[in-house]
Amino acid sequence: KLILRSKFILKTPATYDLVVFDKESVKHLNICLKKYNFFVLQTRFEFTDKIYFSLWILKKIIKNYSKGNLYTVYLISLIELINPKVVITTIDNSLKFSEISKILEKKINFIAIQNANRIDFIEMNYLYNTKKFNNNFLEKYYIPNFFCFGDYERELYKQFNIKVKNFLPVGSLRLANYFYHTQKEENINLEKYNSDICLVSEIYNSDHAKHDMIQSKISETINVEKGLVKNVKYTIKFCIKNNMRLIIAGKREKKYHTFLQQEEIKFYKNNLEKREFDYFQRSFLERDVDNFSSYKAVLNSKVAVGNCTTLLIEKLGTGGKILSCNLIKGDIYNFPINGICSLNNCSYEEFEKRLLEIYSMSKENFFLKIDKKPDYVMKFNKNNSTINIIREKLSYLGVNQN
């Protein structure tokens, strides 16, 4: 199948100081690396549509044949021939990146930039401890240089015995991209994104979960779907009762993931009463990744509500008020910071009381009532963005802009 769908390029790639690992990384790195020359390495077998082949590549493959399966050996051989100073990715949970960096780290610097809250690692650990997984997949991960959100990841990864050589808390690259975008965007109108409450959509469709190894196993023991729906119901009831403006930031984007976006709407239609769903539709903001719509909605709300989405962590890191409400009967989905910002397994009355309290208090008082500083989960510095930190590190490693 790979041979039939792929275009063959009968030459060895040119040398580059920088390789971007995984094509999906480019959309997050395009601002940061816009003045760099780099080679994009397709690393997902199922998405690979071009194959480089030459006598030099064949010789490298033969030399490396014992270092993994054929596809891994092919990728290792390409990287060695490109001879970069740095290989960088934003797919920080890529096992292929871990596998290859273990083999080549003595020759090349490997950097993984955290892309999202790693709730998937927490789920993996839970499934292994409850014997739903026979193997501890977390043991397979290895990151030589991890540019993470905050100090929380350092503690979490050590707790799970995930091997990371160097931690560097730098904050969120996607958040930095948003601020870069808003600075460059002319005549920006944020008024339509202003709200009293922004609910971040977090769907967990049990039908779709059957095709995901982690989610399918989780759904056998924890009813995640029920808890997330309850959160939506609470928030809608709260906004109707207290006459507050609600924006629901959609998770899936219609332009790039039409089917998944339809599944998202279907999820809510199937789980909400008609009155609730009508209100949901009036409040729903379709996601527009290119326009950073979710960031605009979350950061321009007085309070953001959700369970354990990355957007809540990013809002907290920028000095905003949040309520992480875990109504799933499983503490693995609890927020990493305790205090007024988090509430678990509560009644609607408790939810309403807490959200009204957060809404009415100043930001200064809000941050006095949480047990850790926000930079524990999300480093943020307006004067030195994540983009700048990454560029400085690349320069230190000998990768320079054009």
Side-chain angles (χ1 to χ4, degrees):
K1 286 182 180 179
L2 176 64
I3 291 170
L4 288 174
R5 73 169 181 254
S6 298
K7 176 184 177 182
F8 277 77
I9 301 173
L10 301 177
K11 64 177 183 179
T12 304
T15 57
Y16 288 83
D17 285 343
L18 183 62
V19 166
V20 173
F21 190 96
D22 196 305
K23 191 177 180 180
E24 283 294 301
S25 295
V26 176
K27 64 185 178 184
H28 304 300
L29 285 164
N30 60 359
I31 293 174
C32 183
L33 301 182
K34 67 178 183 176
K35 293 184 179 180
Y36 292 82
N37 286 326
F38 56 86
F39 180 87
V40 180
L41 186 67
Q42 293 181 330
T43 61
R44 302 192 198 198
F45 185 85
E46 63 272 26
F47 297 139
T48 298
D49 58 7
K50 60 183 177 183
I51 298 173
Y52 287 86
F53 190 76
S54 69
L55 180 60
W56 288 110
I57 294 172
L58 179 60
K59 286 181 177 179
K60 276 287 184 184
I61 288 173
I62 293 170
K63 183 179 179 181
N64 291 321
Y65 81 96
S66 63
K67 295 179 179 178
N69 63 37
L70 183 57
Y71 191 62
T72 298
V73 168
Y74 165 74
L75 294 175
I76 289 170
S77 301
L78 276 190
I79 292 171
E80 286 185 330
L81 288 166
I82 295 167
N83 194 29
K85 293 175 181 175
V86 174
V87 174
I88 194 167
T89 188
T90 62
I91 316 302
D92 56 299
N93 59 345
S94 166
L95 280 172
K96 190 62 71 178
F97 179 85
S98 292
E99 182 184 4
I100 291 174
S101 63
K102 281 180 188 177
I103 297 167
L104 295 179
E105 68 166 329
K106 290 182 179 178
K107 303 176 184 177
I108 300 163
N109 295 291
F110 282 80
I111 297 172
I113 301 167
Q114 187 173 357
N115 185 39
N117 181 21
R118 290 272 71 94
I119 190 67
D120 51 343
F121 285 3
I122 297 173
E123 289 174 326
M124 283 185 202
N125 182 67
Y126 168 82
L127 290 170
Y128 178 68
N129 288 338
T130 55
K131 304 189 185 308
K132 293 290 181 181
F133 278 173
N134 293 325
N135 299 316
N136 185 359
F137 293 101
L138 297 178
E139 291 179 343
K140 298 182 179 182
Y141 284 97
Y142 174 69
I143 302 176
N145 299 287
F146 187 30
F147 288 15
C148 55
F149 288 164
D151 293 323
Y152 168 66
E153 280 72 32
R154 193 195 308 268
E155 294 181 12
L156 185 72
Y157 282 46
K158 287 183 178 179
Q159 178 188 335
F160 293 163
N161 293 316
I162 299 172
K163 297 178 181 66
V164 177
K165 194 170 182 180
N166 299 304
F167 287 92
L168 181 61
V170 300
S172 167
L173 177 59
R174 290 198 293 183
L175 182 65
N177 287 340
Y178 162 73
F179 282 110
Y180 181 91
H181 170 79
T182 54
Q183 289 168 2
K184 297 292 181 181
E185 190 176 6
E186 295 181 2
N187 303 318
I188 185 169
N189 180 16
L190 295 174
E191 188 174 341
K192 75 170 187 174
Y193 299 99
N194 294 340
S195 67
D196 294 306
I197 306 296
C198 178
L199 174 66
V200 183
S201 175
E202 297 172 84
I203 65 165
Y204 196 99
N205 191 319
S206 57
D207 291 332
H208 181 70
K210 292 174 185 175
H211 306 289
D212 183 282
M213 180 177 66
I214 297 173
Q215 291 190 2
S216 63
K217 289 292 184 182
I218 285 286
S219 62
E220 291 176 8
T221 54
I222 301 175
N223 194 335
V224 178
E225 187 174 314
K226 184 179 179 181
L228 294 178
V229 169
K230 203 173 180 181
N231 209 347
V232 177
K233 285 175 172 285
Y234 278 11
T235 306
I236 289 174
K237 182 178 179 179
F238 174 88
C239 290
I240 292 173
K241 183 178 176 182
N242 294 282
N243 194 29
M244 291 194 181
R245 187 180 182 221
L246 172 66
I247 286 181
I248 300 172
K251 183 176 180 66
R252 307 297 185 190
E253 184 171 37
K254 190 174 183 178
K255 183 165 60 175
Y256 297 117
H257 304 287
T258 304
F259 173 74
L260 291 176
Q261 204 255 2
Q262 290 170 348
E263 286 288 299
E264 181 177 12
I265 302 299
K266 182 182 174 183
F267 170 79
Y268 290 113
K269 187 174 183 179
N270 290 343
N271 288 285
L272 298 176
E273 296 174 9
K274 185 180 184 305
R275 179 170 178 257
E276 293 170 331
F277 184 67
D278 289 343
Y279 189 87
F280 165 86
Q281 286 187 300
R282 294 195 298 271
S283 307
F284 186 71
L285 176 69
E286 284 192 359
R287 188 176 184 186
D288 181 352
V289 172
D290 297 333
N291 194 39
F292 295 89
S293 62
S294 295
Y295 282 104
K296 289 176 180 176
V298 168
L299 297 180
N300 287 284
S301 64
K302 291 183 180 177
V303 185
V305 177
N307 183 191
C308 53
T309 172
T310 307
L311 283 164
L312 285 190
I313 295 172
E314 289 169 318
K315 183 173 175 69
L316 190 73
T318 59
K321 296 187 291 183
I322 69 160
L323 175 58
S324 168
C325 186
N326 178 17
L327 300 174
I328 304 163
K329 291 185 178 178
D331 60 8
I332 63 172
Y333 299 103
N334 288 354
F335 200 69
I337 292 181
N338 295 315
I340 198 166
C341 67
S342 61
L343 190 61
N344 307 318
N345 299 315
C346 63
S347 65
Y348 170 74
E349 289 71 25
E350 291 170 314
F351 174 88
E352 181 181 38
K353 182 181 178 182
R354 178 67 63 85
L355 190 48
L356 282 172
E357 185 182 4
I358 293 171
Y359 181 84
S360 61
M361 68 171 42
S362 67
K363 289 182 179 180
E364 290 75 17
N365 285 338
F366 173 83
F367 283 101
L368 289 173
K369 294 191 174 186
I370 61 176
D371 72 345
K372 288 183 175 66
K373 291 183 179 179
D375 66 1
Y376 170 69
V377 289
M378 181 62 62
K379 299 288 184 184
F380 179 74
N381 185 339
K382 269 190 174 181
N383 299 318
N384 190 24
S385 76
T386 305
I387 293 170
N388 291 335
I389 295 170
I390 293 169
R391 287 174 177 170
E392 288 168 5
K393 186 65 174 178
L394 290 175
S395 176
Y396 175 78
L397 296 173
V399 181
N400 298 310
Q401 301 179 29
N402 295 334

